[in-house]
Amino acid sequence: MNHALPIRETHRCVPGPVGGEVMVPVTPADNDTPTFAANDLAAARAYYDAEGYVVIRGAVPVADCVAAHQAYLREVKPDRGFFYRQTSSGRYERHVFTPQGFMLNAMLNVQDFDRRRSPLFPEAALKVLTAPALQKAASALLGEKAKIVQTMYFEGNPATWAHQDSYYLDSEKIGTMVAAWVALEEIAPGAGRFYVYPRSHKVEMLRHAAGVDIAFNHERYKAAMLQAMAEQGLPCHAPALGPGDVLFWNALTVHGSLATTQPERSRNSFTMHLLAESHGFLQFQSRLRQLNLETVNGVSVHHPKNLNRFRNRAVAFAETYFPGPFYALKNLAIRALVSRK
């Protein structure tokens, strides 16, 4: 009688961003590209400079990841009010759920949440995002102390298109911003795993300008990015992350999230964008934004729409209940801004 144990699956095929399939490692133990310990930052920086991304293991305590997720489940997920969203609309929306019950429209700038509605989640979130080992790694990649300029929270997978962050936001020294994806749980291969195209930060790509602007020609930009990746023939990597692991990438590295093939699995995670403390914050590669910084756990954190202030709540009301006129004017302003380049 054959008593051999079944062979454990180590990789799974997932539809790729530009067609075909990507072989995705199932667990962090199956990663076939280098990952680095939180105290091995010299080697991590060398890999990041060469490849445009790097994975740091255990940069956030698992207990803090669990606490942030539990605060989301208690306070935020049951809330049927409006939250500012990361999705392509970039607007205030109520939660949209998958058939399996996962929030699909990721939330933007958790540091700005109204503490009257969510007193625990923003604090738990910022404890994760300002974790000492995570911030030490970010500062090593930036070459100086980091500041946080944007954050996001994901539960379901919105299947983010291939893009460079620099098209939307960057340092005033274009290409020096660092971004981070922070896993709060082990992300299944078919749950919308985050992917990067290694070395794409060294390839000349489209810049934000009239004709491919976000206000009126965003779909043209998305199509151009996919075409560029198909023509370059670069590999697509989607490393496995466990709770507390962090994937850092460069502002010019092409990245996104893979299609969902395991809709029963969530992808609870944060994303954030960081600048060197001495750098200004550039929007659409055209406009320097004034930062509203607050020090949290020793880290400077930008509050673009702090809903704990009456003025910002009033603007949010206009965006939420009078979106037509508000966004028509906003899009015209964006077009005027990028057309001056």
Side-chain angles (χ1 to χ4, degrees):
M1 183 179 294
N2 184 1
H3 296 286
L5 294 173
I7 298 174
R8 186 180 71 83
E9 179 188 31
T10 61
H11 290 72
R12 182 173 295 186
C13 288
V14 178
V18 295
E21 293 183 321
V22 178
M23 290 295 293
V24 177
V26 173
T27 73
D30 303 319
N31 279 323
D32 39 22
T33 54
T35 61
F36 298 85
N39 61 357
D40 193 12
L41 295 183
R45 172 64 189 266
Y47 187 87
Y48 171 85
D49 288 344
E51 300 294 322
Y53 81 100
V54 68
V55 174
I56 305 292
R57 302 185 304 273
V60 179
V62 173
D64 292 345
C65 295
V66 172
H69 182 212
Q70 289 301 312
Y72 162 75
L73 293 175
R74 286 196 304 270
E75 287 186 350
V76 180
K77 190 169 184 176
D79 190 328
R80 294 299 180 258
F82 290 84
F83 291 91
Y84 199 50
R85 303 293 171 169
Q86 176 268 345
T87 53
S88 58
S89 72
R91 302 184 179 189
Y92 287 97
E93 300 172 352
R94 291 187 171 93
H95 297 322
V96 174
F97 293 104
T98 68
Q100 293 74 26
F102 300 131
M103 179 191 65
L104 189 60
N105 47 344
M107 298 179 298
L108 185 63
N109 289 325
V110 299
Q111 70 272 25
D112 284 345
F113 279 20
D114 188 339
R115 303 299 175 98
R116 299 171 304 172
R117 290 168 60 187
S118 308
L120 299 177
F121 176 68
E123 182 178 351
L126 287 170
K127 188 173 183 182
V128 169
L129 297 174
T130 60
L134 185 160
Q135 287 296 322
K136 186 175 180 181
S139 297
L141 300 179
L142 287 163
E144 65 177 272
K145 187 174 173 60
K147 61 187 175 189
I148 300 171
V149 295
Q150 189 182 80
T151 69
M152 290 166 259
Y153 186 86
F154 296 84
E155 183 186 39
N157 173 33
T160 311
W161 54 92
H163 66 283
Q164 294 172 303
D165 284 332
S166 184
Y167 175 83
Y168 306 94
L169 65 159
D170 203 341
S171 163
E172 62 183 321
K173 298 182 179 180
I174 289 178
T176 61
M177 185 180 75
V178 169
W181 187 42
V182 186
L184 300 184
E185 61 183 341
E186 188 167 302
I187 309 297
R193 184 78 66 75
F194 188 95
Y195 69 80
V196 294
Y197 280 98
R199 301 180 296 282
S200 57
H201 65 308
K202 298 182 178 181
V203 178
E204 183 66 26
M205 299 287 182
L206 288 172
R207 297 291 183 259
H208 206 294
V212 288
D213 60 280
I214 190 173
F216 296 97
N217 296 287
H218 197 203
E219 294 304 316
R220 185 182 298 177
Y221 168 79
K222 293 181 186 179
M225 292 301 298
L226 288 175
Q227 181 180 347
M229 288 301 94
E231 291 173 351
Q232 290 294 325
L234 296 172
C236 179
H237 289 177
L241 270 63
D245 293 345
V246 181
L247 191 156
F248 292 96
W249 69 96
N250 180 271
L252 297 178
T253 300
V254 178
H255 63 282
S257 58
L258 295 173
T260 298
T261 59
Q262 293 175 275
E264 74 282 3
R265 297 293 297 272
S266 59
R267 49 166 285 183
N268 283 285
S269 52
F270 289 106
T271 297
M272 67 174 164
H273 297 94
L274 307 108
L275 304 181
E277 275 215 324
S278 65
H279 290 193
F281 182 31
L282 193 66
Q283 185 181 39
F284 310 134
Q285 298 181 330
S286 305
R287 178 189 180 194
L288 274 174
R289 296 297 305 271
Q290 183 176 352
L291 294 178
N292 179 25
L293 296 172
E294 175 191 18
T295 300
V296 180
N297 302 327
V299 179
S300 295
V301 180
H302 174 43
H303 289 268
K305 297 186 178 186
N306 189 345
L307 293 179
N308 299 287
R309 297 180 178 177
F310 175 78
R311 178 182 179 277
N312 291 333
R313 291 199 298 271
V315 173
F317 181 88
E319 287 190 55
T320 301
Y321 295 103
F322 303 97
F326 186 94
Y327 288 105
L329 291 171
K330 182 177 179 179
N331 285 339
L332 287 171
I334 292 172
R335 168 173 278 185
L337 179 68
V338 300
S339 295
R340 291 201 300 266
K341 292 183 63 177

